[in-house]
Amino acid sequence: MNETIFADTFYWIVLLNPRDNFHTQALSLTATLGNTKIITTDEILTEVLNFLSDGGQNLRQRGTKTIRQLLNTDPQKVTVLPQSCLLYTSPSPRD
């Protein structure tokens, strides 16, 4: 079974923003993921676009292009969980 990771807002912002101090580290990490499945959420992608909205036209375009690609990626590779109150009202599998 392949490993699964959760990609939060910080990951996507530093990956997309070449001026961020952690950008190179995010690129290096991404290059090592191989067959690792990435899970993220609609809420996170909204936060990313909101953050990038002040970054100029190029950064906004990079963000929207990347998110469109994520939404059309094979769900075995990237899953974007839809926005839903169930994400925080349902019992955790650990409960």
Side-chain angles (χ1 to χ4, degrees), residues 60-93:
R60 285 193 304 271
Q61 288 176 342
R62 179 181 290 176
T64 55
K65 179 181 177 184
T66 299
I67 289 173
R68 285 184 183 132
Q69 289 171 340
L70 288 173
L71 294 172
N72 290 307
T73 299
D74 178 359
Q76 296 300 315
K77 183 69 179 159
V78 177
T79 298
V80 179
L81 299 175
Q83 184 172 351
S84 168
C85 66
L86 294 175
L87 290 175
Y88 51 85
T89 60
S90 297
S92 166

Side-chain angles (χ1 to χ4, degrees), residues 27-44:
L27 289 174
S28 296
L29 171 70
T30 302
T32 67
L33 292 178
N35 290 327
T36 301
K37 180 176 181 173
I38 298 172
I39 296 178
T40 195
T41 68
D42 280 340
E43 292 92 339
I44 286 172

Side-chain angles (χ1 to χ4, degrees), residues 1-32:
M1 182 165 153
N2 293 335
E3 186 176 358
T4 300
I5 63 166
F6 183 79
D8 64 3
T9 306
F10 178 80
Y11 171 75
W12 296 116
I13 288 173
V14 300
L15 185 65
L16 291 168
N17 185 359
R19 295 177 299 205
D20 192 284
N21 293 337
F22 295 99
H23 179 70
T24 302
Q25 290 171 297
L27 289 174
S28 296
L29 171 70
T30 302
T32 67

